[in-house]
Amino acid sequence: MSGGTVLGNVPRRGQRLIALTAVVAALAAGCADTAPSNEGSGSPSGKPPSGTPTAKPSEPDPSTTLTPGVKPPAAAPVTRSFPGKLPNGKPPLFVVVSFDGAGDLALWSHWRTVAKQVDARMTFFLSGPYLYPEARKTDYKPPYKKPGASDIGWADAPKAIARATVLRQAIAEGHEIGTHANGHFCGKTGIDKWSATQWKAELDAFDTMVRNGPSLAAGKPLAAPFDPSTVKGMRTPCLEGNRPAYRQVMRQRGMLYDASEPGYIAWPKKEDGVWDFPLQSVDLAGTRKSTLTMDYNLWYAQTKARKAPLSHAPKLKAQVLATYRQALARSRAGNNPPLFLGNHFNRWNNSVYSDALTTFVTETCKQPDVKCVSNVELIAWLTKYGVPKG
């Protein structure tokens, strides 16, 4: 068991529930994405994380423009394949990096550049309001809230259009777009109360924001950045929600996986008819604390989600990086179960978590046994070879 919790003779299932209760506690403390209208908040300079690679300017690919009448691309491209086994007889060690919100344009540039350098594909869980202009916010009618309510705000028009263009470019590079729903309502009055019918309305609203948001922002016809009916996965706000209810809707929409439920470093399985790709319980390096492989949870484990002095940033970053390395070693010690690492588009705590993940991706994704993939690439492999035993 991770985290050093003393559980005595509690059955294994009970141990897991107790441990997950501990590591998920931070989510109730206010995990939220950055409002799209406050691009760059969390850093006075509004700059990308330190160590951002420099991207070479290039002419835009015509296929990535929002030309009206052009069929939008699918949200989840799978263009690569991987062997069933490595020379050592183990399956590849898949590392899946994903992001919630996906709004900040500078961080879009940063992560796409990092991915290009190491031939990685990533998954970006988009929040619908990041594409939808504030002037039309009352089109959205969330359950138990006033029309236009959103805990992450709404987009201003120029940034909505810019994000739509970036989404096209990212898809052309092989990255996957998932959904992070819309209003990001957490806690007692949030998504835990929603029924399957309400989740259907929420995901229909996401579709509308993707299809119509850029045109409404531009005041003229624009193509959607992608076809929302082709989205294959979701991460719910704050990892909350009635899972059987929203997974029922996911199945009806042809979606394949849920990336919301906390879990462990193990080969994934299906729950409620969809793949369960968890954020994983790990030990915070140098401590006996359990946390999840999500930046906000790491922040909470380190400083109770309070910003530390800038002078503490190197030590905090080193601890996060050591936590990732420790998790990778734990996977290698077994049968190479995949690692699922979650981040937000943020610069929390002096950019400790974005910087640590940048270093980890850069040093890890080129290692011979590692494949840095999107969630749908992992599903394609699992579909072809099955879930490894052991």
Side-chain angles (χ1 to χ4, degrees):
M1 290 298 298
S2 59
T5 305
V6 179
L7 300 175
N9 295 320
V10 177
R12 182 180 299 274
R13 176 66 175 171
Q15 292 179 10
R16 291 189 172 187
L17 290 174
I18 291 170
L20 285 185
T21 298
V23 298
V24 181
L27 294 170
C31 171
D33 296 330
T34 303
S37 58
N38 296 326
E39 186 130 350
S41 64
S43 168
S45 66
K47 295 179 180 179
S50 61
T52 298
T54 302
K56 294 181 180 179
S58 59
E59 292 297 321
D61 182 339
S63 67
T64 66
T65 61
L66 305 175
T67 305
V70 176
K71 183 180 179 181
V78 176
T79 59
R80 305 185 298 177
S81 61
F82 305 97
K85 291 184 178 181
L86 300 171
N88 63 7
K90 290 186 178 184
L93 202 172
F94 294 106
V95 174
V96 183
V97 175
S98 61
F99 299 89
D100 293 8
D104 187 303
L105 294 168
L107 287 170
W108 261 115
S109 177
H110 169 77
W111 289 112
R112 288 171 57 211
T113 301
V114 169
K116 286 178 185 176
Q117 289 196 337
V118 295
D119 195 28
R121 305 291 186 270
M122 298 175 176
T123 297
F124 299 86
F125 292 107
L126 174 70
S127 297
Y130 284 36
L131 294 181
Y132 213 70
E134 186 169 14
R136 294 291 299 266
K137 67 181 183 180
T138 56
D139 294 345
Y140 175 51
K141 297 175 175 59
Y144 311 112
K145 307 287 183 181
K146 293 181 179 179
S150 169
D151 284 355
I152 57 170
W154 296 87
D156 64 52
K159 287 177 181 173
I161 299 166
R163 290 187 188 104
T165 302
V166 166
L167 286 162
R168 275 285 183 100
Q169 294 167 347
I171 289 168
E173 293 161 2
H175 299 297
E176 175 195 3
I177 310 302
T179 179
H180 197 41
N182 302 312
H184 209 283
F185 304 117
C186 301
K188 293 180 180 180
T189 63
I191 60 174
D192 273 345
K193 300 169 61 177
W194 291 5
S195 66
T197 299
Q198 290 165 331
W199 271 107
K200 181 181 183 304
E202 176 77 354
L203 294 180
D204 287 347
F206 175 83
D207 294 352
T208 297
M209 292 184 200
V210 172
R211 290 193 177 105
N212 300 339
S215 293
L216 292 172
K220 63 181 181 180
L222 291 177
F226 58 88
D227 179 354
S229 71
T230 63
V231 167
K232 297 303 181 186
M234 177 165 68
R235 177 170 291 142
T236 60
C238 293
L239 312 184
E240 295 176 354
N242 181 322
R243 304 204 194 283
Y246 71 71
R247 286 171 175 171
Q248 173 187 327
V249 179
M250 292 178 72
R251 293 195 307 273
Q252 292 168 350
R253 292 168 61 94
M255 297 171 73
L256 300 178
Y257 72 91
D258 175 25
S260 311
E261 187 169 12
Y264 294 87
I265 297 177
W267 281 98
K269 58 183 179 180
K270 287 188 176 182
E271 297 281 356
D272 301 312
V274 296
W275 285 102
D276 179 16
F277 286 172
L279 292 165
Q280 294 158 321
S281 175
V282 295
D283 293 334
L284 181 66
T287 76
R288 294 177 64 82
K289 293 181 181 179
S290 291
T291 184
L292 294 181
T293 50
M294 168 67 84
D295 53 359
Y296 183 87
N297 296 76
L298 289 159
W299 185 21
Y300 191 89
Q302 287 184 317
T303 67
K304 300 293 185 183
R306 299 185 182 96
K307 187 174 181 179
L310 181 60
S311 60
H312 294 187
K315 182 177 180 180
L316 293 172
K317 175 188 170 182
Q319 185 179 42
V320 174
L321 184 58
T323 300
Y324 290 149
R325 290 170 175 165
Q326 190 171 276
L328 187 75
R330 180 176 171 185
S331 174
R332 280 199 179 111
N335 196 27
N336 282 4
L339 294 184
F340 295 98
L341 307 180
N343 253 47
H344 293 74
F345 269 22
N346 75 85
R347 302 170 181 83
W348 289 331
N349 211 8
N350 299 304
S351 200
V352 161
Y353 310 100
S354 290
D355 288 353
L357 184 60
T358 296
T359 299
F360 182 75
V361 167
T362 302
E363 73 180 18
T364 301
C365 292
K366 283 292 189 180
Q367 294 178 18
D369 60 337
V370 173
K371 308 296 179 185
C372 288
V373 301
S374 66
N375 282 302
V376 286
E377 286 187 309
L378 176 56
I379 287 176
W381 188 90
L382 289 167
T383 301
K384 183 174 181 179
Y385 295 107
V387 178
K389 297 179 180 180

